[in-house]
Amino acid sequence: SSPLWDETRPGSYHCKGCDLYNYDGRLKVVLDKGWVFFEHCLPDSVLTAIDGVVPEYGAMSPDTALTEVHCRRCGSHLGHLLIIGGSMLHCINGASLVFKPDAT
């Protein structure tokens, strides 16, 4: 888990690898799961690919793959697209992000 999962201040989330602005805090969904969830990314900020089976994520069949989300600029693995409560969300590892609060 990451301390960013329950961050609620206005701000932006950037790739820790290259500082590309990937997610806007207004699109964040706070869920008590230890991951950072977003409804959408910023346009042209991430790419997706097929990721292998990740057994730690629960009871998935051995042939089930996930949709990986990675940074468009540097290719860093950010997380996955998952269906949570009927909504497709970006489930992002907070360790892959840097949060920048809005100026007050």
Side-chain angles (χ1 to χ4, degrees):
S1 68
S2 158
L4 296 180
W5 77 267
D6 64 350
E7 176 64 64
T8 58
R9 293 176 293 168
S12 56
Y13 294 81
H14 298 248
C15 173
K16 187 175 261 181
C18 70
D19 202 37
L20 182 65
Y21 183 11
N22 298 118
Y23 294 96
D24 188 304
R26 292 175 294 187
L27 297 173
K28 187 170 185 223
V29 178
V30 177
L31 298 174
D32 190 17
K33 297 187 180 295
W35 299 91
V36 185
F37 292 92
F38 298 94
E39 295 174 359
H40 301 284
C41 61
L42 291 174
D44 300 321
S45 67
V46 303
L47 296 172
T48 59
I50 301 300
D51 202 0
V53 177
V54 184
E56 300 86 40
Y57 289 175
M60 296 183 208
S61 69
D63 58 351
T64 301
L66 295 172
T67 302
E68 174 193 17
V69 176
H70 57 271
C71 177
R72 176 194 48 83
R73 181 186 293 155
C74 72
S76 291
H77 175 87
L78 301 176
H80 295 91
L81 293 178
L82 299 176
I83 297 173
I84 309 277
S87 297
M88 179 70 74
L89 297 175
H90 292 235
C91 175
I92 306 300
N93 184 339
S96 69
L97 299 173
V98 172
F99 175 68
K100 297 183 180 183
D102 286 347
T104 54

